[in-house]
Amino acid sequence: MPEGDSVYKLARRLDRPLRGRTITRSDLRLPRLATRDLSGRVVLEHATHGKHLLTRFSGGATLHTHLLMDGSWSVTGPGKQLPRRLMPDVRIVLATDAGHTAYGIKLHEVELVETAREHEIVGHLGPDPLREDWDAEEAVRRLRAEPDVALVSALLDQRKVAGWGNLWANELAYLVGRSPWTPIGEVDVERLVALGARALLHSATVEGAYQVTTGIGRKGESHWVTGRAGRPCLRCGTKVQVVAELPNDPANRRTWWCPHCQPGPGPEARVPTSVARR
């Protein structure tokens, strides 16, 4: 599932051809939205909150989309067409007066709401380090509210902080030197939040830094532990370990860690949960 920095970068890519343009044709290919028409509205901006994309239009309308695991957006230029093989998966078509056309592909969550009512969709989310209203103190408070929750599970909970996904949960656990299953109440949460916010912003806004956590862009060396199962830790040489996700449990995803650099509880400490974390 794309993380907050991924969706933020997507929003900036969509802004370039679409922001300020008038919609000349819209096609919302979902039964509950099939009769809604955005033609004549101007695209004001693409805002994000965590992993949620909010396309705001003139007239007080917002198109909310969530990519989940396999959704995407693609924009074609004047006179260009989307490959025919992708057309069966298109859920949204937005054509503009400049000739660009945006396609929402394999989108599983699509809602059209009044902009003033966006809170009904994203109001449950915690503070987002990539938003202007980022509130580090509130993020710390929310993370500390359940001190017995495992570190990685707390980082995955979008109600606490919005935008960190599984990659960031694994990398941040490594960077603070704690086992992924350390109770969050035993972690220096202020340091964790400051580090995580800085890392997410750097990833989203610095050219060439996207999800590079080691500072090294070479393949196989851009992450400390994520995706490195069985390979030596880049710091100490200990073999990086991995444990599979618990089925249908978004709080216990596939997890990587270095037993030497991250002392503390092992995966046997995992507690199953059914809380949704989007």
Side-chain angles (χ1 to χ4, degrees):
M1 182 183 296
E3 311 206 7
D5 49 348
S6 309
V7 181
Y8 181 93
K9 290 175 74 69
L10 169 63
R12 303 290 74 77
R13 289 197 300 272
L14 292 174
D15 264 347
R16 286 193 284 272
L18 302 179
R19 188 170 186 171
R21 310 311 311 189
T22 299
I23 300 300
T24 56
R25 179 175 67 90
S26 75
D27 186 1
L28 306 182
R29 300 178 181 178
L30 300 101
R32 67 184 180 283
L33 297 178
T35 61
R36 305 293 295 274
D37 188 4
L38 293 168
S39 298
R41 296 181 185 264
V42 176
V43 179
L44 300 180
E45 65 177 333
H46 291 87
T48 62
H49 195 143
K51 305 174 186 181
H52 298 251
L53 179 66
L54 302 166
T55 305
R56 294 171 178 156
F57 298 88
S58 60
T62 294
L63 183 66
H64 163 258
T65 56
H66 196 301
L67 303 181
L68 294 185
M69 294 300 295
D70 56 352
S72 64
W73 280 89
S74 181
V75 180
T76 58
K80 303 293 184 179
Q81 293 184 336
L82 197 69
R84 292 180 63 87
R85 61 182 172 78
L86 298 178
M87 292 305 295
D89 294 319
V90 170
R91 299 292 176 266
I92 299 172
V93 180
L94 299 173
T96 75
D97 57 351
H100 293 91
T101 302
Y103 298 89
I105 304 167
K106 290 186 178 180
L107 299 175
H108 302 279
E109 293 186 9
V110 180
E111 292 147 305
L112 186 61
V113 300
E114 296 176 13
T115 301
R117 297 176 61 188
E118 288 178 0
H119 64 278
E120 296 179 5
I121 298 173
V122 297
H124 68 288
L125 297 172
D128 179 347
L130 301 181
R131 289 174 56 90
E132 291 184 359
D133 59 0
W134 164 241
D135 187 339
E137 291 185 1
E138 176 62 12
V140 170
R141 187 193 70 78
R142 292 189 182 209
L143 286 167
R144 281 181 170 163
E146 296 180 275
D148 295 332
V149 174
L151 172 57
V152 288
S153 295
L155 293 174
L156 288 170
D157 191 339
Q158 301 300 292
R159 300 167 306 170
K160 299 182 185 300
V161 179
W164 294 326
N166 201 41
L167 180 143
W168 286 111
N170 281 270
E171 295 297 289
L172 289 174
Y174 180 88
L175 288 170
V176 298
R178 303 303 295 268
S179 155
W181 301 281
T182 303
I184 189 71
E186 299 178 11
V187 175
D188 183 342
V189 179
E190 285 89 351
R191 175 176 174 246
L192 172 68
V193 167
L195 175 64
R198 186 168 64 250
L200 195 69
L201 181 63
H202 186 77
S203 173
T205 61
V206 175
E207 186 70 27
Y210 175 62
Q211 295 188 347
V212 175
T213 60
T214 61
I216 302 171
R218 291 191 295 271
K219 184 177 181 181
E221 297 182 26
S222 59
H223 302 146
W224 291 107
V225 288
T226 306
R228 291 183 52 81
R231 302 183 66 184
C233 172
L234 293 171
R235 280 181 176 164
C236 73
T238 301
K239 183 181 294 185
V240 173
Q241 303 294 306
V242 66
V243 64
E245 68 276 4
L246 293 180
N248 303 313
D249 189 340
N252 287 286
R253 304 278 302 281
R254 181 178 298 179
T255 303
W256 294 264
W257 79 105
C258 171
H260 180 267
C261 295
Q262 297 174 261
E268 66 278 358
R270 292 193 296 184
V271 177
T273 176
S274 59
V275 175
R277 299 169 191 270
R278 291 179 182 172

